[in-house]
Amino acid sequence: MSQGAQTWRFPRMFWTGNAAELCERAAYYGTFIALRTYLIRVVGLNDVEAGAVSAYFAGWIYLVPFFTGAMADRIGFRPSLLMAFALLTVGYGSLGVFNTLGPVLVGLTLIILGGAIVKPVISGTVSKSSNEATRARAFSIFYMVVNIGSFTGKTIVAPIRIDMGVENVPYFSAAASLVALIVVALFYFPDKDARTGKADTVKETLQGMWLAMSNLRFLALILITAGFWAIQGQLYFAMPEYVLRMAGETYKPEWYANINPLVVVIFVVMITQMVRKWKPQNAILVAMLMIPVSALTMALSGQFSQNIEILGLSVHPITFMMVIGISIQGLAECFLSPKWLEFASLQAPPGKEGTFLGFAHMNTFFAWIFGSLLSGFLLSRYVPEPSTLDEATRAAHTAALAGQGPMPEVYSQAHYLWYAYAGVGLTSLILLLIFIAVTRKMDEGKAETA
């Protein structure tokens, strides 16, 4: 491949790696969107316990990849992917076979380890399959594949959950992982010198993490923006159970969640172009302003007593308000994502930009642990699992879902769950404004004394 040629042609390992990535993302999001429901109905956990287990899974799958790149460099890309997809196949499969907490935690840990290996290896594959002239196109294809995988997985598992039961969802993810394993075994043969190009040893990773996290300005920024992702994470933590408990089993929260990647794919290029000359803080402020609005919009679903008529169609108010709220989240993400790394890099000491950017996504690690734990308490308080209610209340709830009466009093404040997350978003917005004002004053003071 000529170093200066603009082309859409890439070597076979690029397309094979992306095919495996598509399967991995479909498997991950297919199970992730149904995980809380699975933990409650199959494993028998309550809302708070399910929130804790989901927090473990969602948080650590963002942290462990920092440590797996070095291993992939040592043993090679192909053995790494073969091991990763074997772990994923066994991990997801075990969720289908076993239904007690111990084996389920083991299965989730295998998924974390497998996913943590896939992430740096596929990113490294994309990088090594392209050159300076084609890298932007290569990663645009990769980004599209990630979103297609996410969209496909959530689309497929909705009818599986409805027709076959949530206990069968992990089998889909195991099958998708097995397909990826076969694809890698038959077609993925990278160059012997393929490396991620950025992996550190565990010691170096811990040193870099300490350097970044001990910088109070950077740590504050990570924790503040974690509020954004804590709300976005409710697409997987609170929203599915909210929809199923307040609208009914035949509704498809998996499809509602697909609105987010769909909006991002449609609008991210246009919005990125629009904000390219903005100061990073201005674009992020727009996103931080929009995210509590999205939560408030979802809360409005509790203000309608009957379906909403739109273009001759009768739409459940939860469906209507979820679609609008999730669309706002997608647009907010389009403002945040292009400028977040730029903003984070500005907080780094001179010469340490790379180290800081490597840990810039720690906000998601903190956000999803916090968001999942909080959702467990909020669901338990405002949208309780019907099986935990007395027989008369359960009967009234079933009748209400069938349109044969009002919701029981215990669900009268269900929409307060979204008010709580609007409060998280508003707090994050206020803290960001304070952060910008304080750091600006500090920087001006340093400039005057220089």
Side-chain angles (χ1 to χ4, degrees), residues 38 42-43 90 93-104 107 167 171:
Y38 165 86
V42 179
V43 184
V90 174
S94 68
L95 299 185
V97 173
F98 302 105
N99 58 14
T100 54
L101 182 58
V104 165
E167 66 273 15
Y171 288 126

Side-chain angles (χ1 to χ4, degrees), residues 129-306:
S129 300
S130 57
N131 55 45
E132 187 175 347
T134 61
R135 191 151 292 131
R137 290 185 176 184
F139 275 97
S140 69
I141 293 172
F142 170 71
Y143 181 72
M144 179 179 68
V145 165
V146 168
N147 280 280
I148 291 174
S150 168
F151 193 95
T152 302
K154 287 178 283 189
T155 300
I156 291 174
V157 300
I160 292 177
R161 174 186 57 78
I162 293 171
D163 298 332
M164 303 172 63
V166 71
E167 66 273 15
N168 288 295
V169 167
Y171 288 126
F172 159 77
S173 297
S177 300
L178 180 60
V179 169
L181 177 62
I182 294 170
V183 167
V184 170
L186 295 179
F187 303 110
Y188 184 81
F189 295 95
D191 297 334
K192 291 183 179 180
D193 62 347
R195 295 288 186 272
T196 61
K198 60 181 179 180
D200 295 327
T201 65
V202 171
K203 180 179 179 181
E204 290 169 335
T205 299
L206 290 172
Q207 289 174 338
M209 185 178 294
W210 171 252
L211 176 65
M213 295 299 104
S214 62
N215 183 296
L216 295 182
R217 179 181 292 202
F218 187 57
L219 180 60
L221 187 60
I222 282 177
L223 295 176
I224 289 168
T225 55
F228 178 97
W229 297 108
I231 297 174
Q232 199 266 1
Q234 298 316 306
L235 294 181
Y236 304 96
F237 301 134
M239 188 272 290
E241 285 301 309
Y242 179 83
V243 171
L244 295 179
R245 297 176 190 181
M246 297 302 296
E249 293 294 320
T250 59
Y251 287 82
K252 300 179 176 67
E254 301 90 346
W255 291 10
Y256 300 169
N258 271 337
I259 298 294
N260 183 273
L262 181 63
V263 169
V264 171
V265 168
I266 292 173
F267 291 102
V268 69
V269 173
M270 180 183 69
I271 292 177
T272 299
Q273 181 70 10
M274 183 179 73
V275 304
R276 71 188 188 283
K277 295 183 179 180
W278 290 20
K279 291 182 178 180
Q281 64 194 50
N282 293 337
I284 293 174
L285 277 172
V286 171
M288 297 297 282
L289 178 62
M290 294 175 70
I291 200 69
V293 173
S294 74
L296 288 173
T297 302
M298 294 177 180
L300 290 176
S301 61
Q303 305 303 308
F304 296 90
S305 59
Q306 56 188 10

